[in-house]
Amino acid sequence: MRIAVPVVKSGDKILLVPHFGRAPSFAIIDLDGNSYRIVEIFQNPFLTSSHGRGVGVVNELVKKGVNTLVSLGAGYGAYYKLRELGIKIYYVTPPQGKKTMTLQEAIEMFLAGKAEEATGPREEDEEH
């Protein structure tokens, strides 16, 4: 399984960002059973686009062989494009009192079955 996660580097930490299309970068992770490895972290080439950021990123993820997204959220355009292409979407929710989580926390939550399979878009300003 190849997973994409929208992230930002902050010091020595890699943190999830709340909006898919506005993520400065994406981590690509290969998952094999209960072990995983970060394959790459690449810059979002569509970050400065005025329209279609999310859809552009989705196309980039498909080129990289991604079949699963783990995220704090995904807007309307990205959500439906991901679904159309058969990419599964899972939402993670930060621990109470926090606005984000580390990449490691998110992947461990996914591995533990604590990520929620998406049933619709989740915008960055919604309550989780």
Side-chain angles (χ1 to χ4, degrees):
M1 176 182 295
R2 181 159 276 191
I3 299 171
V5 184
V7 296
V8 63
K9 289 183 182 180
S10 177
D12 60 347
K13 292 182 180 179
I14 302 171
L15 303 173
L16 271 67
V17 295
H19 191 280
F20 178 83
R22 292 186 202 131
S25 54
F26 286 81
I28 304 295
I29 296 154
D30 278 346
L31 186 66
D32 184 17
N34 280 331
S35 65
Y36 67 92
R37 70 180 181 88
I38 298 172
V39 176
E40 71 173 305
I41 296 177
F42 71 94
Q43 298 300 306
N44 179 352
F46 303 96
L47 188 59
T48 58
S49 300
S50 58
H51 296 291
R53 284 185 299 258
V55 173
V57 171
V58 170
N59 291 331
E60 191 69 24
L61 296 179
V62 167
K63 289 180 195 172
K64 294 181 179 291
V66 168
N67 55 26
T68 304
L69 172 74
V70 174
S71 180
L72 294 171
Y76 183 89
Y79 174 85
Y80 287 104
K81 184 70 173 177
L82 287 161
R83 295 298 290 239
E84 173 187 314
L85 295 171
I87 296 174
K88 290 192 172 203
I89 306 162
Y90 292 88
Y91 295 139
V92 290
T93 302
Q96 189 158 344
K98 291 188 173 185
K99 292 195 181 273
T100 192
M101 60 184 16
T102 66
L103 176 60
Q104 181 178 348
E105 289 170 327
I107 295 302
E108 288 173 1
M109 181 179 277
F110 178 78
L111 287 171
K114 295 179 180 174
E116 164 192 353
E117 187 163 2
T119 58
R122 182 193 273 182
E123 297 292 343
E124 66 182 18
D125 55 353
E126 288 182 15
E127 291 297 315
H128 302 295

